[in-house]
Structure formats: C-alpha cells, structure tokens
Amino acid sequence: MAGCVFCGIVAGEVPAFRVVDEPDGVAFLDTRPVFKGHVLVVPRAHLVTLADLPPASLPGYFGLVQRLAVAVESGLGAGGTFVAMNNRVSQSVPHLHTHVVPRTKGDGLRGFFWPRTRYSDDAEAQEYAARIAAALAPA
C-alpha cells in the first residue's frame, strides 16, 4: 500500500535491519526499541488489524512469531520475551505487526509503559539482527 512504511520494508524500498524474510512474514528490528533486540513481525500483505488476517494465514504468521520469540530469547541470552500486538489504538503504523521484546528479570518494564531506547549506531543494530537471525529455527 502506498505510503505504508511497513509495506515499503517488505518490498525492500525502505531500509530496515531484517531478521527474516519468509512467505509468512518479514521481521526486522524496531527503530525505537523498548530493549535492544525488539523485533517487529509483519505479514507481507497490507493488513491493518488482526481481524484482517485470513484464517488460513494464522498458522504460518503466528508460527513465525513463535519462532522469533524463541530466537530472541536464545540469540540474545534474554530471560524471556514480551509478545504484543495493538489493533488501531496505539498502533503507530496502521499495518498489522507483532512486537517481540527481549526481557530480563528486573529490566524495569512495568505494565504497558514502554520506554524506548536507541541503538548506538547501525553496526550495533545489525549485530542484534544477526544474532537473532542466527538463532532462528528453520521453518
């Protein structure tokens, strides 16, 4: 869809630190992560909310989300992950996306207050994307 930054990333027209690009979806680092290694997973098609995702796409899309949750944890040595999705309200980009955020005990994340951080540079972001990609189990 014209003007959608996530569609631009899927099409390769907008730069992103990609973790994986598969038929069921594309995953890349959030540019304003809650914690470093925060990944966004998007379906290839422009869909706005979870209700728009065709039932036949649910297993593939959420299978990818599940694999990324495992990869974020193992690839970054995180204690766990926080997996979340907004539908319209608080959805900063109107394209269905799932957040996979690395967590550690005592990391300070409370409720739905999501402080944001930044990568020190592109090399650091690329290193996080590569670590998660290397830990990703095959489809």
Side-chain angles (χ1 to χ4, degrees):
M1 165 162 269
C4 174
V5 67
F6 289 171
C7 286
I9 290 170
V10 168
E13 298 164 356
V14 173
F17 295 100
R18 287 176 183 253
V19 174
V20 67
D21 185 338
E22 296 180 355
D24 291 312
V26 176
F28 49 90
L29 296 181
D30 191 313
T31 58
R32 293 181 20 210
V34 174
F35 298 116
K36 292 176 182 179
H38 176 168
V39 175
L40 298 177
V41 186
V42 302
R44 300 188 73 76
H46 182 80
L47 306 168
V48 177
T49 68
L50 181 58
D52 300 325
L53 187 66
S57 298
L58 287 167
Y61 181 76
F62 282 105
L64 178 58
V65 170
Q66 181 183 49
R67 289 175 39 235
L68 280 156
V70 171
V72 164
E73 191 173 323
S74 64
L76 302 179
T81 58
F82 176 71
V83 178
M85 178 185 296
N86 291 306
N87 281 291
R88 291 193 184 91
V89 175
S90 295
Q91 193 177 18
S92 57
V93 176
H95 183 124
L96 177 65
H97 57 284
T98 306
H99 298 261
V100 180
V101 181
R103 297 293 313 272
T104 56
K105 188 171 177 78
D107 60 19
L109 189 62
R110 299 272 188 264
F112 287 99
F113 174 68
W114 290 23
R116 298 298 184 128
T117 189
R118 295 212 178 269
Y119 294 96
S120 58
D121 55 27
D122 286 356
E124 183 184 38
Q126 184 56 51
E127 184 235 336
Y128 273 81
R131 286 171 58 192
I132 297 165
L136 190 63

